[in-house]
Each structure stands twice: as C-alpha cells, then as structure tokens.
Amino acid sequence: MHQKGSDPVWCGGLLERGAELAALEEALAAVRGAREGRLALIAGEAGIGKTSLLRAFHDAHADAPTFRGGCDPLFTPRPLAPFLELADASGGPLAARLARAGTPADVLAVLSEELPRRGPALLVVEDMHWADEATLDVVRLLGRRLEALPLLVVLTYRDDHLDRVHPLRVVLGELSSPAVRRLSLGPLSPTAIAALAGDASVDADALARRTGGNPFFVTEVLAAGGAEMPETVRDAVLGRAARLGAAARRILDAVSIFPPRAELSLLEACVPGYPDGLEECLASGMLHPEGAAVAFRHEIARVALDGALRLHDRVELHRAALRALGRALPPDPGRLASHAEGAGDRDAVLRWAPVAAERAAHVGSHREAAKQYARALREADGLPPEQRAALYERRSYECYLTDQMPEALEARLRALAAHRLRGDRLREGDAHRWASRLRWFLGENEAAEREARAALDLLEGLPPGPELAMGYSNMSQLRMLARDAGDAIVWGERAIALAERLGEHEILVHALNNVGTARFQAGDPEGRATLERSLDLALVGGLEEHAARAYTNLAAQAVEVRNYPRADDYLGRGIDYCREHDVDSWRLYMTGWLARSHLDQGRWDEAAEAAATVLRYPNPAAPSRIKPLTVIGRLRTRRGDPEAWDPLDEALRLAEGMAELQRLAPVAAARAEARWLAGEVDLVAGETEETLDLALRGGDPWAAGELAVWRRRVGLRDELAAADLAEPWALELAGDAEGAAARWDAIGCPYEAALALTSAEAEEPLRRSLAVLERLGAARTAAAVAHRLRSRHGVRGIAVGPRAATRANPGGLTGRELDVLALVSEGLRNREIAARLYVSEKTVGHHVSAILRKLAVPTRGQAAAEAARFGIGKR
C-alpha cells in the first residue's frame, strides 16, 4: 500500500501540472507585454490531461479573448475543421469571413486581422494529430508570422503514436523559433493518485502500475468502482456505462457515432424517447455539455462505446444520422459521406463523397480529397466505366499533389483500363502520358519511357490536340532528364509549335522549360534565357507548379556548374515562392539542392539541417530524397560520424532505379570518397567506372572531372582529354595541386580546395589542407591528411584537434552533440530528435549519454539548464 508523504502539489485544480501552467502564464505575459506572438506545443498520450490543463489555464484568464477549435477524429477529417468550429462559436464578422476563405493563406489573413481586435488573444487548436492538410498549412503559416501577431497559440497533440513520417511531425520540425515552447505532460505519481482517490483503501501504487499514471484511466477506474480493478481503460468505460439506465445508454450509443460531439438536434432525430436519459449521462460525468451539443469527456471513452455497439445498432444509428443531416442547410458533405458509409448506403456515398473531395481540394486539403475519392471508389463497381474512370483520375491527381505516388499510379492505371475498355483512345493516350510522369517520380525510368511512347503511339493517330502537345513535352522532359539534349530539344520544339498553334499557354511554359534546360546542359548560353522566359510566363499566368519547376531547373543548373551566387539567389526565391504558394513537393526538391549548395560552400551545419528537413518529410519522392541522402552520407563520412553507409546505400538504390546521370554521379562520387577514407581503395573502380563513362557520353565536364579525380587518387589512370573536364578537376589531374586549390578557392569550395592540396608532394600545402579540414570539422579527412604528413614527411606531434564547435563551448561537446543538446533543451524525446536529425534513436541515445557525461549532470533537464547557462543550447 502506498504510504502518503507530503501533500502533492495542486495548482489550478490540477495535480502535478504547476510547471506547465507556469510556462503558459509566462507565454501569455510575453504576448501581453511585448505584443509579440508565442506558440505552446503541448504533447502527451491520450488521456494524460492536455484538455484539463487548457481548461484550468483558461479559467484563470477568462478575460482573455479565447478562440478554440479541435480537429476531427475521423478517418477523413473535415478540411479546416478547428477554424470552422471556432468561427461557429464566435459568430459575427469572424464567422462570415472564414466561411468565404478559400485557402490556408486566406484563413491566416482572417485570423491575423480578426482575433486580436479586442487585444492579445488566445488561440487553441486541440488534437493536431488528427489535423487535415489545410489545417496543417494554416499552422505552418502561423508559425512564420507568429512574432508579428499578438496571439498565444496553443496546439495539443498525442505524441505516443506520432511516427517520423506523420504529417504533423514535419510541421513540428518547422516550428523552431525562440517564440515556441514545447511542453510534454507526464503521468501522475502514486502520491497524486492517492490524493485524487481520497480513500485510504485505494492501493495507489497498484493503481499507478495498472494505469501507467494516466489521469483519465485513473479517474475512470475510480468512477467504475467495484472490488476488481478493470484490466483496461475500455473495461473501465464500459463498466461505468453499464451502471446507467437503458435510456441513458441509448443516448451514449448515439453520441458515440458523432465525433467529436453530437448536436442535441441530431440526438432528437436519432434517439427514440429523447431527451430521456440525457440528464443521467450528464450527471454521471460520462458526457459534458458543449453549447448546443454534448460530448464524451474524452475521445477514449467515445471509441470504447462505439466499438462495443452491435453491428445492427450502429448501422441504424448511421442511417438516422444520414436522414437528419440530409435535412440540414447548408449540407456538410464530409459528415454525410462518413455516415453514408457507416449506414452502408452506396448511393449516398457516391453522391456525397465526391462533393466532399472537391470541397477539400478547393481549400488545399488534398490528402483528405484523395481519401474521399477512395471512399467513393469503394462503392463504384456498378458505375459506368466513364464515371469510374473520372473518379480514378481525380484520386490520382490528388495523390500526385500529396506525394503519394504509388497510389497515384495505381489509380491512373485503373482509369487507363477503363478508357481502354470504352475504346476512348484520346483519354487512354493521355493516361499513358500521366503514367509516364508518375513512374518517373517512382524512379522507374525505363517504364516511364515505355509509357511515354505508348502515349504518342495512340495520340499521333488522332487529330492534334492539347494531349498530343503535352505528350511531346513529356517526352522532351524525359530526354532532358537523361541528358540527351538533342532529342530533348527536338521533342520540345514540336511541343512548343503545337502549343502555340492551339493557344495552350501552360503546355508552352512546360516545353520551354525542357528546351531551356537541355540547351543549358549542352553549354548553349541561350538556354538560361529560354528557362527565364518559361519562369516569367509561369509567374504572369499564375502557373505555380511550372514556376516552381523553372526556379528548380535554373538553380540546379547553377549548382552543377558551381555558380553559387546565382544558385543561392534562385534557390532563395524559389523556396520562398513555394512556401508562399504551398507547392511542397518542389520546395522539398529545391531544399535538397540547397543542402548540396551549402555542402559545397563549407556551410556544413546548414547543409545538414536542409537535408534533414527533406528526409523527415513523409515519404518524399525518389528524386527529392537522393540529393539530401548523399549530403548526409558525405557529412557523416567526412566527420567520422557513424551510420554513413545507410544513406549512401539508399541513395544508390534510388539513383540506379532512375538511371539518370544527375542522380548517379553525385552518389558515385560520395561513395568513392567514403571508400577512399575507409582505405578501401580497391573498391573505388567499381563505384565509379560506369558512371564516369555515362558522364563523358553525356558531356558533363563537372561530373566527369570529379569521378576521374577520385579514380586518380586511388591510382587509376584514365586517358581523358582536358577539354572534357571542368577546369579545377583538369588542373589536379595535370599535377597542378596549387592551381586546382586556387581555382576551388575562387569558386568558393573550401573542402575541394583542401582535397586538391592533398595531392601535393610538399609539406606546406598539406599543412594548409589540414588547417582547412579541421576548421570545417572534417575529422576523418583531417586524420587522413595528418597520417600523410607523418608518413611522407616524418612530421611528429600532429594531433588532429577537436572540431571548432567542440573548442567553442565549455562542455567540450562535438558539433553533433550541440545539435542534440539544442533539441533536448526544446523538450524533445530521443525518437523526435532522431527524426529531426535523420539518425537512429540508438545513435541519439549515445549522444545524450555523452552530453550528460561531459556536462557532469545526471538528467536531461539539468543538461538543458547548463546549456542555457553557457548559451550553447541553440545552434
């Protein structure tokens, strides 16, 4: 039996939540004082008390204008649900303006203007783990504008099942400014449980073990009573409900099918004998009122009751809900589709799910749109082929927009089969063209080529139209990506001519991009001008995806020829454009190129962060992953960090699937460098031979030069013409180490300059190389150069010092340990830190242990305090 010691700390009517309430108080005071925004992220498992904490905080600040909404616990959540909810509760101009808001940017504009009208305000969005895509976009935009808004924004979410690819995880990673405070709620102690029970006969220790200290489970067990302690929270909830009368249980059953709450008007329509039993439900604490609606005290209870319903009763309740909601004006297609599916009403699903999908797509909730089309397609077997094909095409497009490429391809191929069945050669040809594009994103280049040719075989036999023009442009794009400039230009000029004849502005922009990039790759100075024309036309025409693609190709070509000022300008403008217009797939792709630019210029911490930004995103397409995987692999190799081969192996697998020089060459060079540093020089030939041949045939002097130099560094000699290689590489191959290093310095590549000096025979260039490598933090490469100094020149007493980051802090932490400490200071757990830094959770554990040892502290909290004291927690 637990022995009571000192009384547990009660604060705001809550047990053991004083620190969290104090943090919220501090954030609100900052908003009121400086009129600058603050964001509090409250994490914890289901039932841990997030809502109770917010209720206590709000009760203490009832004078603060408060706007509150929650995300729907639905398989297909309603777009912008929390903001629609707070608008309904607030009424007035806020509700009217939000009803007209069409995009996340529109919603942000309304919130920014309306919420602070009565002074600093509190905006609460609960259950962000259920958020739809548009809601996540609003939060992302809020985070960027936060400091300019007099708002305390509080977001709650469950972190117990939030894996590294969850969409919310990506948004949380972007919310990293000093205005953000992360709070994680822990379980109740046995002392607190004893105080909550208020009964000396309760074994608080046993109850703590059984419930894990979860406050909701504890209170349900205590409320259920009885001699035996329930095994699970579900048993506790069902046991508590069983003690109510029949009328009250009918009310509970009905409320269970209406997440997150049931309007009283719906209960009246769905429950015979209503309102009998309602007061008993409220008096028992099973339900609580929310305006003109009622809800379970926690979603756990609703799920438990819903799961216990008999099939017949559940179907009948959904049918009644469908009838009631069908009479409401305006109709809510998302709710109607959900209840139609629950009722097994095929016709209603086919009526409402596509409408819900269109509405979701309109506000930018493309994932939810894809789910609604999937819901409709589950009932579409009896539809005519043309209607079924249209649903598959719409689902495919929504999946394409959200980087769900396997699902997008599957839906597009089903549409293709339906067109073929109907004998519609035009739609079949266009479906082949779409399948070509999707297979490219999946890294299936040979299949993409086959689909492209199948499209043209069909479309060229029909009267020329937009589909044929886009088929030509698609083939041009594939040839450009394969560095076949001649064919890319031929196909592209066909597309341009037909698009101009047809007045198809969007296809013209697409084709100009392909031709401009191909000419740029071939060394034609007119290529950049053509790409710039494509960009200008896209910007004027509001063609967001095409503008993003033009920025990307302009930036990528600049990085490849090592023109970093121009590259960084295009990348900066392009990434900002994509953020502003929510073009996430291209933003991620450009961020991979940004990581490469940072790496080349010696900005390695920035390179690591940019690469990790892409890799922690949920399932980015293969082209977006290869560059950041290569950057991470090279950084780990150069620094001597563990797990360098994992990203390099994955990058190789993806690059080989795409079989394009721009993917293969950087991976081959990175792997050659890793072999060289590991002393596995006999494996460099196999890593580089085929790709060097491809680079020479493709006329890429930068890729060919880098691969040839790595081969020379391990003793392989290739008969190459200097004209085929970029100047710095050609100088090193010619034996001019100093000339090569000087050229790299002029370009702005310090690591390449240091490596070039390693081929020098004299001692002084090697010492200069060593100094640069130590400054960059290339511990493993520096060790190789130090070994060369000792073995070639007999230099003694050279100790490869700690990285600059290590020397700059009192704890003697490495740069990566400083990165981990910064995230520990934000309250992140090892799993979350691993997702941020793209390393394993085990590796994070090793870093945390080293941090505690070096700072001589026993806990993570004390490590964060030490970091704050020395000013080394944030990087």
Side-chain angles (χ1 to χ4, degrees):
M1 181 72 69
H2 173 78
Q3 298 298 316
K4 292 187 180 180
S6 59
D7 289 337
V9 177
W10 289 85
C11 188
L14 298 177
L15 282 162
E16 299 182 332
R17 295 293 184 255
E20 292 81 4
L21 283 169
L24 293 174
E25 295 279 359
E26 181 183 338
L28 182 58
V31 173
R32 286 173 165 170
R35 298 189 70 82
E36 293 179 353
R38 293 292 186 272
L39 172 62
L41 302 171
I42 303 178
E45 66 183 26
I48 202 66
K50 299 181 291 293
T51 299
S52 298
L53 176 69
L54 287 176
R55 190 176 296 122
F57 178 65
H58 176 259
D59 289 346
H61 298 282
D63 59 323
T66 301
F67 304 88
R68 189 168 187 164
C71 302
D72 288 343
L74 299 170
F75 175 73
T76 308
R78 291 179 300 158
L80 300 170
F83 304 109
L84 297 177
E85 180 184 335
L86 67 87
D88 289 342
S90 302
L94 175 61
R97 291 188 64 188
L98 279 178
R100 296 192 300 270
T103 67
D106 295 336
V107 172
L108 176 66
V110 173
L111 296 176
S112 302
E113 294 171 17
E114 295 289 341
L115 299 195
R117 284 191 184 278
R118 292 189 288 133
L122 176 63
L123 171 61
V124 176
V125 181
E126 295 196 73
D127 298 319
M128 283 294 299
H129 50 279
W130 288 319
D132 66 282
E133 192 175 10
T135 295
L136 291 173
D137 284 340
V138 173
V139 168
R140 185 182 284 114
L141 293 170
L142 257 176
R144 295 175 195 149
R145 293 276 308 279
L146 189 62
E147 294 184 11
L149 300 173
L151 291 175
L152 170 55
V153 182
V154 182
L155 309 178
T156 73
Y157 64 96
R158 294 183 190 174
D159 61 351
D160 47 345
H161 292 99
L162 205 64
D163 61 33
R164 65 176 296 271
V165 298
H166 193 287
L168 176 59
R169 178 73 69 195
V170 179
V171 176
L172 294 176
E174 295 179 7
L175 300 173
S176 57
S177 81
V180 177
R181 182 68 185 272
R182 299 172 190 268
L183 306 175
S184 183
L185 302 187
L188 297 179
S189 68
T191 302
I193 291 172
L196 192 62
D199 182 350
S201 67
V202 172
D203 187 339
D205 289 309
L207 187 51
R209 288 193 299 271
R210 178 66 57 83
T211 63
N214 182 287
F216 178 76
F217 194 177
V218 169
T219 55
E220 287 299 308
V221 169
L222 293 172
E228 294 295 323
M229 188 182 296
E231 288 293 328
T232 67
V233 68
R234 178 180 183 275
D235 294 336
V237 170
L238 296 179
R240 188 176 179 187
R243 291 160 50 192
L244 303 182
R249 290 199 300 273
R250 284 196 296 271
I251 294 284
L252 292 180
D253 288 347
V255 176
S256 75
I257 71 158
F258 291 109
R261 65 190 58 81
E263 294 91 331
L264 297 180
S265 57
L266 286 177
L267 294 180
E268 184 176 7
C270 296
V271 182
Y274 175 88
D276 292 350
L278 179 59
E279 286 304 318
E280 185 179 0
C281 291
L282 294 170
S284 71
M286 291 289 289
L287 299 180
H288 67 95
E290 291 190 6
V294 292
F296 284 96
R297 194 164 62 86
H298 199 283
E299 176 66 7
I300 295 173
R302 188 198 68 78
V303 171
L305 268 295
D306 182 43
L309 281 173
R310 292 179 301 179
L311 177 61
H312 173 76
D313 292 339
R314 182 183 290 109
V315 169
E316 285 302 315
L317 283 168
H318 279 294
R319 286 175 178 169
L322 185 61
R323 289 192 297 270
L325 287 168
R327 295 191 292 269
L329 292 175
D332 186 331
R335 293 183 79 182
L336 285 161
S338 176
H339 288 295
E341 188 172 43
D345 189 331
R346 174 181 175 274
D347 291 342
V349 170
L350 290 172
R351 177 185 178 187
W352 292 113
V355 177
E358 290 173 13
R359 182 172 294 184
H362 178 69
V363 298
S365 285
H366 297 291
R367 288 184 184 276
E368 285 62 46
K371 289 177 181 178
Q372 290 288 6
Y373 283 127
R375 172 177 274 159
L377 284 163
R378 287 194 289 271
E379 306 293 341
D381 285 349
L383 289 179
E386 63 271 20
Q387 293 182 30
R388 201 164 61 250
L391 287 173
Y392 277 122
E393 286 179 338
R394 292 172 190 168
R395 170 164 165 78
S396 177
Y397 186 66
E398 297 301 326
C399 289
Y400 163 72
L401 290 177
T402 52
D403 264 339
Q404 301 176 79
M405 296 304 170
E407 294 85 352
L409 178 61
E410 179 188 5
R412 188 66 60 173
L413 292 178
R414 289 181 180 272
L416 191 157
H419 293 315
R420 183 181 293 139
L421 185 66
R422 295 175 55 234
D424 188 338
R425 293 169 62 82
L426 180 66
R427 302 310 311 152
E428 183 185 352
D430 199 48
H432 275 297
R433 192 265 307 170
W434 258 111
S436 169
R437 183 71 176 143
L438 295 171
R439 288 193 186 279
W440 180 84
F441 272 109
L442 288 167
E444 302 172 7
N445 281 34
E446 290 186 8
E449 292 271 359
R450 288 196 300 271
E451 296 281 10
R453 295 191 181 280
L456 292 179
D457 287 344
L458 287 164
L459 296 171
E460 286 186 323
L462 301 171
E467 293 82 4
L468 178 60
M470 196 61 209
Y472 286 149
S473 193
N474 179 64
M475 184 64 81
S476 172
Q477 184 177 15
L478 289 174
R479 293 291 82 219
M480 175 268 291
L481 291 166
R483 292 194 76 92
D484 181 352
D487 277 0
I489 292 169
V490 168
W491 288 110
E493 288 179 342
R494 288 187 193 179
I496 290 168
L498 184 52
E500 288 179 332
R501 197 172 94 205
L502 296 171
E504 289 289 339
H505 181 78
E506 185 171 358
I507 299 173
L508 173 63
V509 169
H510 189 269
L512 284 170
N513 191 314
N514 300 330
V515 171
T517 305
R519 285 180 172 153
F520 202 135
Q521 291 172 342
D524 183 346
E526 291 300 313
R528 182 181 166 212
T530 305
L531 259 177
E532 289 276 11
R533 182 188 171 203
S534 172
L535 173 61
D536 291 342
L537 290 172
L539 291 172
V540 170
L543 302 174
E544 295 170 359
E545 185 179 359
H546 295 286
R549 181 169 169 253
Y551 275 125
T552 299
N553 286 347
L554 284 162
Q557 296 308 310
V559 172
E560 288 196 337
V561 299
R562 312 280 180 153
N563 188 330
Y564 298 109
R566 182 180 294 166
D568 289 348
D569 175 58
Y570 284 132
L571 287 168
R573 287 193 285 145
I575 290 171
D576 285 346
Y577 179 88
C578 290
R579 281 201 185 105
E580 182 180 346
H581 294 87
D582 295 320
V583 190
D584 272 353
S585 59
W586 287 104
R587 176 179 64 84
L588 288 174
Y589 190 54
M590 271 189 275
T591 302
W593 279 101
L594 180 63
R596 159 75 187 275
S597 181
H598 284 319
L599 178 77
D600 290 353
Q601 295 178 77
R603 302 192 293 252
W604 286 5
D605 287 341
E606 292 91 336
E609 179 55 34
T613 295
V614 180
L615 295 173
R616 62 177 170 248
Y617 198 84
N619 303 315
S624 295
R625 288 183 65 80
I626 295 171
K627 196 73 64 182
L629 284 168
T630 307
V631 167
I632 291 291
R634 294 193 103 153
L635 282 173
R636 291 181 186 173
T637 297
R638 294 170 182 180
R639 288 172 162 172
D641 289 342
E643 302 176 22
W645 281 106
D646 292 347
L648 293 179
D649 287 342
E650 185 180 351
L652 179 62
R653 178 179 60 79
L654 294 173
E656 287 180 336
M658 301 199 71
E660 293 171 356
L661 179 62
Q662 64 169 315
R663 324 291 171 193
L664 290 166
V667 176
R671 293 175 68 86
E673 180 180 358
R675 298 293 187 195
W676 179 71
L677 285 170
E680 299 171 343
V681 295
D682 55 326
L683 298 179
V684 170
E687 297 282 7
T688 57
E689 191 163 6
E690 291 183 7
T691 308
L692 173 59
D693 182 59
L694 186 63
L696 292 168
R697 286 189 283 113
D700 186 335
W702 290 94
E706 183 171 19
L707 293 170
V709 163
W710 278 115
R711 291 167 65 83
R712 178 68 60 85
R713 286 172 181 160
V714 299
L716 298 171
R717 293 190 170 270
D718 302 287
E719 297 298 325
L720 302 174
D724 293 335
L725 311 174
E727 183 187 10
W729 304 120
L731 288 169
E732 183 171 347
L733 289 173
D736 186 358
E738 291 280 8
R743 190 72 191 95
W744 283 122
D745 280 331
I747 291 171
C749 296
Y751 184 78
E752 300 300 348
L755 279 186
L757 290 174
T758 64
S759 64
E761 294 297 327
E763 177 183 335
E764 191 274 335
L766 289 175
R767 285 188 177 275
R768 278 191 282 131
S769 172
L770 180 61
V772 172
L773 295 171
E774 286 193 308
R775 176 175 59 80
L776 290 170
R780 194 171 186 185
T781 318
V785 175
H787 174 75
R788 185 164 300 187
L789 276 165
R790 287 191 292 267
S791 61
R792 282 190 186 179
H793 300 285
V795 177
R796 295 290 179 260
I798 294 179
V800 179
R803 290 161 54 177
T806 305
R807 295 193 299 269
N809 67 80
L813 304 181
T814 67
R816 179 44 58 96
E817 287 164 359
L818 288 169
D819 295 335
V820 172
L821 179 58
L823 298 175
V824 168
S825 299
E826 292 181 19
L828 271 65
R829 301 176 182 180
N830 286 3
R831 182 179 61 209
E832 296 169 310
I833 295 171
R836 284 276 198 101
L837 299 180
Y838 198 71
V839 296
S840 71
E841 192 171 342
K842 182 178 179 181
T843 296
V844 173
H846 291 322
H847 286 311
V848 171
S849 297
I851 290 167
L852 298 180
R853 185 181 70 254
K854 291 181 179 182
L855 295 180
V857 294
T859 68
R860 298 163 76 98
Q862 288 176 289
E866 286 293 293
R869 184 163 70 89
F870 288 120
I872 60 173
K874 293 294 252 183
R875 284 175 63 72

